[in-house]
Amino acid sequence: MNRKLRTIDLTLAAMFVALMAVGANITSFVPFLVIGGVPITLQTFFAILAGAILGSRIGAISMTVYALVGLVGVPVFARFGAGLSSIVSPTFGFIISFIFTAYITGKIVQKHKGIKGYVIAALIGMAVNYIVGTNWMYAAYKLWAQAPDGLTYGLVWSWMLVPLPKDIILAVCAGIMAHRLEKSVLSKSTFRNMNRAA
């Protein structure tokens, strides 16, 4: 049976909502993170961290809240986007994917506590992000958005080759960071001790 959310759970979930908002628009604050015209966003990185640090349940809740906050009009999406119109955007699937990314990353980490488990969990979380987001994008272009000429399923996936190296590196970094935080700080924290007692 799921325990009730505590104040610390809600606080940490809110922190990751804020981190996601910053990560979505990091190039607005640090312009040099646009490389070759491609912005280096940190949303996948923070979604993975949310699952690895907060666990599957609270991590997924934090990503759900992030999506809802943007949908009600707070400009937390990439390029400070917001509103219900975001749902029809071809890239909205990536926002949905963050919920699954955090949940699956958290589930794997809960069963595999070593650094290898954390890194594998992070990479699988990143793969989930790509699978959900890219398939949504293809479906959106085919069903309701104006598709570029000659659009194919393979072409949509080829677009993802540009951010792929960056996301692999950031996923590995997220896994290593989460593991080190768990070993050095989180395992001794009130948050972890209360989780064990719950």
Side-chain angles (χ1 to χ4, degrees), residues 70 148 185:
V185 178

Side-chain angles (χ1 to χ4, degrees), residues 8-144:
I8 191 170
D9 297 328
L10 297 174
T11 301
L12 290 170
M15 179 185 75
F16 271 93
V17 172
L19 288 172
M20 287 292 288
V22 173
N25 296 286
I26 190 70
T27 53
S28 298
F29 311 106
V30 191
F32 65 81
L33 287 179
V34 177
I35 300 174
V38 179
I40 306 299
T41 66
L42 299 177
Q43 289 167 295
T44 305
F45 175 80
F46 286 126
I48 290 168
L49 276 184
I53 291 175
L54 303 182
S56 58
R57 179 173 174 245
I58 302 172
I61 288 172
S62 69
M63 295 301 101
T64 302
V65 172
Y66 168 71
L68 292 175
V69 165
L71 289 175
V72 299
V74 181
V76 295
F77 297 154
R79 299 186 182 90
F80 297 103
L84 289 175
S85 61
S86 301
I87 294 175
V88 298
S89 168
T91 58
F92 186 72
F94 290 100
I95 295 170
I96 296 295
S97 78
F98 297 139
I99 300 170
F100 298 104
T101 293
Y103 183 81
I104 291 171
T105 301
K107 277 294 184 186
I108 296 171
V109 162
Q110 285 162 9
K111 295 180 180 179
H112 304 280
K113 298 293 187 181
I115 188 167
K116 183 178 179 181
Y118 272 79
V119 172
I120 290 173
L123 290 170
I124 291 174
M126 185 209 76
V128 169
N129 169 243
Y130 270 57
I131 291 167
V132 175
T134 305
N135 279 287
W136 177 289
M137 182 160 55
Y138 178 72
Y141 278 129
K142 282 296 184 181
L143 298 176
W144 65 82

